[in-house]
Amino acid sequence: MKVGFIGLGNMGAPMATNLAKAGHDVTGFDTADVTVDGVTPASSAQDAAQGADVVITMLPNGKILSHVAAEIIPAMAKGAVLLDCSTVDVDSARTVAAQAQEAGLSALDAPVSGGITGAAAGTLTFMVGGDEDGFKVAKELFDIMGQKAVHCGPSGNGQAAKICNNMILGATMIVTCEAFALADKLGLSREAMFDVVSTSSGYSWTMNAYCPAPGIGPQSPADNGYRPGFAAELMLKDLRLAMDAAQSADADTPIGRAAQELYAQFVENEDGMGRDFSAMLPRFEKRGHTSD
Ligand code: NAD
């Protein structure tokens, strides 16, 4: 396939390289003027989009996506697929998809989980919203860039699935960390805590697979000085998107809101920026019952 790839950053560059390695003809554009293995550089976003069967965008946020979409939609061939893999707000995803469909294109929102390691290894999971025909065309590309693609329904539903998942993840990480800090103060060893919880009703992905306590459970960023992994500021971005969506859909999400407030505090007023999101544990360790 002829693929246009716009946004060749930490995630986009390895994803584009994997498509080129698999034999697709990939033309890429990034405002940062980067060179990426196997990818033919274009002089503009329109240039990368012209004549492509599928145009993939992997951009920082919904505002930039909307801006890029307005540029490339008129340049794309009728029947082509606009495949956005960025994590953006549900409203922007739905607006961009409607504009693409009006112009005779297929549109998919397909945010990913798996991070930079998954992008490089081609093991991402795609959560996909949009029409069935577009999904069928893009499936071949999902299979190269990832290990799983779930079609979640109409446009915006990929973003909805991503932010709901990450709201659970953020809140669960916080409570796992605060439970470890409480266990410390009660004199319970971290090994005992892990052994009990990981096989009891408090078990979770954050405890069992990504344990925030160093030296306990399988290898995780905690064993590497809390270098990300999944950075706290990216978790904050996703929690903010979840809270925007909750407001827009009139949903009551008190724990999600508390998680967003805590990560905002950690990233913006403490030392959370650039640290893994599991570094909430050393944060709680330093605090007492009435700390604010
Ligand atoms: P990044 O900042 O490394 O890459 C974004 C790229 O977009 C940059 O290279 C930037 O120069 C480029 N860009 C910005 N404006 C542009 C424009 N107008 N035209 C063309 N290029 C433009 O970010 P990333 O880590 O690659 O993340 C990309 C997306 O994937 C984000 O939405 C992020 O939330 C999501 N995501 C990231 C991770 C992760 O672990 N990094 C995991 C899952 C999802």
Side-chain angles (χ1 to χ4, degrees):
M1 273 196 251
K2 201 167 167 343
V3 178
F5 209 116
I6 299 161
L8 300 163
N10 289 320
M11 296 291 290
M15 290 163 72
T17 295
N18 284 337
L19 292 176
K21 269 198 207 146
H24 293 289
D25 175 7
V26 187
T27 302
F29 175 72
D30 192 296
T31 41
D33 202 16
V34 290
T35 30
V36 177
D37 259 6
V39 177
T40 310
S43 56
S44 66
Q46 292 102 308
D47 200 13
Q50 226 143 32
D53 301 301
V54 178
V55 177
I56 303 178
T57 46
M58 195 48 169
L59 296 162
N61 57 49
K63 202 165 160 217
I64 295 176
L65 169 69
S66 303
H67 174 79
V68 169
E71 278 181 43
I72 62 174
I73 287 173
M76 286 175 66
K78 289 246 173 321
V81 180
L82 177 56
L83 169 55
D84 178 47
C85 295
S86 329
T87 306
V88 304
D89 56 288
V90 177
D91 291 343
S92 296
R94 289 189 170 146
T95 305
V96 165
Q99 288 163 350
Q101 279 152 3
E102 257 168 50
L105 307 172
S106 261
L108 299 173
D109 54 292
V112 303
S113 72
I116 302 169
T117 334
T123 55
L124 294 170
T125 295
F126 291 87
M127 293 148 258
V128 191
D131 56 276
E132 189 67 49
D133 289 348
F135 183 77
K136 279 188 192 138
V137 175
K139 181 75 171 64
E140 188 181 338
L141 306 182
F142 291 141
D143 288 344
I144 295 163
M145 299 184 287
Q147 62 185 353
K148 193 173 179 190
V150 183
H151 193 196
C152 302
S155 295
N157 282 21
Q159 300 295 347
K162 164 96 185 174
I163 56 174
C164 289
N165 180 72
N166 281 16
M167 187 172 82
I168 295 171
L169 176 64
T172 312
M173 178 56 84
I174 289 170
V175 78
T176 303
C177 291
E178 66 185 28
F180 264 119
L182 171 61
D184 287 346
K185 293 197 174 180
L186 296 175
L188 177 65
S189 80
R190 288 183 170 186
E191 285 82 2
M193 167 84 174
F194 178 83
D195 286 349
V196 171
V197 175
S198 66
T199 53
S200 300
S201 48
Y203 85 101
S204 65
W205 185 83
T206 57
M207 175 61 83
N208 293 36
Y210 202 95
C211 184
I216 311 283
Q219 276 280 318
S220 70
D223 300 307
N224 193 22
Y226 295 99
R227 287 230 310 273
F230 185 44
E233 62 269 26
L234 290 179
M235 174 51 81
L236 175 58
K237 173 189 171 178
D238 291 355
L239 288 167
R240 284 192 165 136
L241 291 175
M243 290 309 100
D244 289 348
Q247 188 178 18
S248 166
D250 190 25
D252 187 20
T253 52
I255 302 297
R257 188 177 341 114
Q260 185 241 285
E261 283 165 6
L262 256 173
Y263 274 105
Q265 172 71 10
F266 187 46
V267 168
E268 289 166 359
N269 303 326
E270 298 169 6
D271 63 350
M273 178 72 112
R275 304 184 81 196
D276 189 73
F277 82 122
S278 60
M280 273 286 168
L281 176 52
R283 176 190 188 274
F284 285 123
E285 273 167 21
K286 288 184 259 162
R287 299 168 60 85
H289 187 55
T290 56
S291 301
D292 51 37

